[in-house]
Amino acid sequence: MMDHQTAVNSITYREIRRQPEIWKTALNSLRKEAAHHQQLLEIYKDRYWIFTGCGTSYYLAQSAAFLFQKFTGFHSCATPASEILIFPHAVFQRPEKSVLVTISRSGESTEVVMAARQVMHDFKIPTIAVSCNKNSSLAKEGSHRLPFPFQQEESVVMTGSFTTMLLSILNLALQKEADDGVFREIEKLPENLEHIFTYSIDKLENAVRGVDDFVFLGQGPFLGIANEGALKMQEMSISHSQSFNSLEYRHGPKSTAAKSTLITLLLSSAGKKLEYQLAEDLKNLGAKLLIVDGIGKKEVKDLADFYISIPPVKYPDAFNPVLYTPVLQLLGFYKALAKGINPDKPQNLTAVVTFNPAENGRHE
Ligand code: F1P
């Protein structure tokens, strides 16, 4: 059993809490690359931007593709790297019109490294590597890179690496219009996150008590974040955890809601009316409801068992995904703590998943 003090001294906890600092450092460095980033957007402005990764990095790709398309207007989508290996023609219908953004903390996950090599070699598609390791295979072999300073994460589970890579892609997208107002917003994020930590920790510790089944709901750029929240809960606390597009939950999954379920609803600005109605329905299911609200929809507070208020930002559907994520990381962390599980040593996991694709499958 891990006591509280040991837990907060854990690597995972420290890496979650250091995010404001690492965002600041990364954003300072990315700012200096503005001209280079604008050039990159110009070269590939007529292409389909396909974002890929594995696990956490794939969920990051989902939110990143959504936000990238929103700010650049370039057609963007996300796919897991494994789909590129298995169904490449379905992913790249027009290879000459595509560019692949490869995302990986380690830059060494087998599927993403193979996918990058394969598309560059077989389809002549350029790649842009987003990695926390500038010496990785992915970064070294890619056609382009999006580097930022990053003190390596020691934890097996990805936390600050997720949000910092997401910020680097958001920052790239923002170069399309290069509007000062929007850059001022992105620079406020580290300070906002510090504020969120101060006000949310007690609530999150309480929210995980007495529940053992977790649901994360988000729409648009929040879907990738909901998926990541569910994955963090599985990885850190070995709990049953699922994620959906918010309104999809009514279409079947709600049948599993019970007193022991905690439903986390990530509010969007675009969907606030529909999501408010959903919150009313969720309340009647008998499950516990945690609402993460970055749009100041205070009426939902009365519906929620636990309410996390995120300081308001301009362009909430662009900047809230990155601000909501550490809240979900802490939720997974506190559930691990409540179950006496050490989140630094997740069951069955390693920091990087590699395998030898040349080996025959045993069941062939
Ligand atoms: C991605 C990943 C993580 C997962 C696990 C193994 O790695 O699959 O999502 O949490 O720790 O690695 P990467 O390609 O981003 O390095």
Side-chain angles (χ1 to χ4, degrees):
M1 187 90 173
M2 207 184 196
D3 69 75
H4 194 272
Q5 196 48 46
T6 318
V8 296
N9 286 335
S10 72
I11 298 166
T12 310
Y13 184 78
R14 281 189 275 127
E15 289 178 346
I16 294 172
R17 290 301 303 266
R18 75 174 186 177
Q19 287 176 94
E21 224 23 71
I22 58 172
W23 290 3
K24 240 186 255 168
T25 312
L27 287 169
N28 279 341
S29 155
L30 287 163
R31 198 181 313 121
K32 297 184 192 129
E33 295 298 314
H36 168 230
H37 293 159
Q38 283 160 11
Q39 212 177 7
L40 206 56
L41 295 179
E42 182 58 28
I43 304 175
Y44 298 121
K45 67 172 188 259
D46 297 321
R47 301 217 177 196
Y48 291 105
W49 287 63
I50 295 154
F51 292 76
T52 196
C54 308
T56 286
S57 293
Y58 165 54
Y59 298 141
L60 156 49
Q62 292 182 318
S63 287
F66 195 101
L67 295 174
F68 190 81
Q69 177 166 286
K70 175 185 167 71
F71 280 108
T72 60
F74 305 163
H75 181 89
S76 312
C77 68
T79 188
S82 54
E83 288 295 345
I84 298 176
L85 300 182
I86 299 174
F87 292 106
H89 293 280
V91 178
F92 301 107
Q93 293 188 18
R94 302 193 56 194
E96 72 293 352
K97 280 273 177 200
S98 303
V99 56
L100 181 68
V101 182
T102 54
I103 303 169
S104 170
R105 170 176 70 171
S106 61
E108 300 294 349
S109 289
T110 299
E111 297 99 307
V112 75
V113 173
M114 274 179 78
R117 286 181 183 152
Q118 199 165 304
V119 303
M120 286 191 285
H121 185 264
D122 297 352
F123 294 103
K124 312 290 176 243
I125 294 173
T127 60
I128 301 172
V130 180
S131 176
C132 296
N133 178 4
K134 61 179 189 315
N135 298 317
S136 60
S137 307
L138 203 66
K140 284 199 290 207
E141 296 172 21
S143 326
H144 307 274
R145 281 141 284 280
L146 216 60
F148 48 82
F150 192 84
Q151 197 194 334
Q152 205 200 331
E153 248 166 23
E154 285 176 52
S155 179
V156 170
V157 297
M158 292 171 62
T159 55
S161 50
F162 178 102
T163 53
T164 313
M165 288 194 283
L166 181 56
L167 273 179
S168 76
I169 296 170
L170 188 55
N171 184 76
L172 172 68
L174 297 181
Q175 302 296 336
K176 175 71 177 20
E177 295 303 333
D179 159 358
D180 282 352
V182 93
F183 286 115
R184 273 198 295 277
E185 276 313 295
I186 202 170
E187 272 160 29
K188 280 192 221 151
L189 296 177
E191 197 185 308
N192 286 359
L193 178 57
E194 207 54 81
H195 179 87
I196 294 165
F197 282 146
T198 312
Y199 289 98
S200 63
I201 282 182
D202 289 353
K203 292 180 192 169
L204 295 170
E205 271 194 283
N206 283 333
V208 296
R209 291 211 183 106
V211 285
D212 58 12
D213 175 37
F214 295 87
V215 173
F216 294 85
L217 304 178
Q219 295 278 155
F222 299 96
L223 175 63
I225 306 305
N227 290 339
E228 174 59 3
L231 185 70
K232 286 287 87 82
M233 188 55 76
Q234 289 161 355
E235 290 182 330
M236 285 199 238
S237 79
I238 327 293
S239 301
H240 184 254
S241 179
Q242 309 175 77
S243 46
F244 303 94
N245 295 72
S246 305
L247 271 63
E248 282 299 301
Y249 192 67
R250 284 198 186 100
H251 297 271
K254 71 171 183 187
S255 55
T256 63
K259 265 207 329 241
S260 56
T261 308
L262 177 71
I263 303 174
T264 300
L265 177 62
L266 307 177
L267 284 192
S268 71
S269 171
K272 58 180 175 241
K273 196 161 169 273
L274 292 169
E275 288 163 3
Y276 178 74
Q277 285 173 346
L278 176 70
E280 288 181 312
D281 290 356
L282 295 176
K283 183 76 194 153
N284 293 328
L285 293 174
K288 295 261 174 356
L289 183 57
L290 164 65
I291 297 186
V292 187
D293 175 10
I295 55 168
K297 196 160 172 61
K298 296 275 186 307
E299 313 91 279
V300 292
K301 197 172 175 182
D302 297 336
L303 296 173
D305 296 285
F306 306 97
Y307 176 74
I308 303 287
S309 167
I310 303 290
V313 285
K314 264 194 210 152
Y315 317 103
D317 289 347
F319 294 119
N320 281 341
V322 78
L323 283 175
Y324 286 10
T325 305
V327 171
L328 307 188
Q329 295 166 349
L330 279 177
L331 200 68
F333 175 83
Y334 282 119
K335 187 63 204 172
L337 195 56
K339 287 174 85 170
I341 292 173
N342 181 354
D344 289 348
K345 294 195 169 51
Q347 179 177 295
N348 302 339
L349 287 183
T350 48
V352 194
V353 175
T354 56
F355 55 90
N356 181 356
E359 270 173 22
N360 276 336
R362 265 182 229 123
H363 304 293
E364 264 185 328

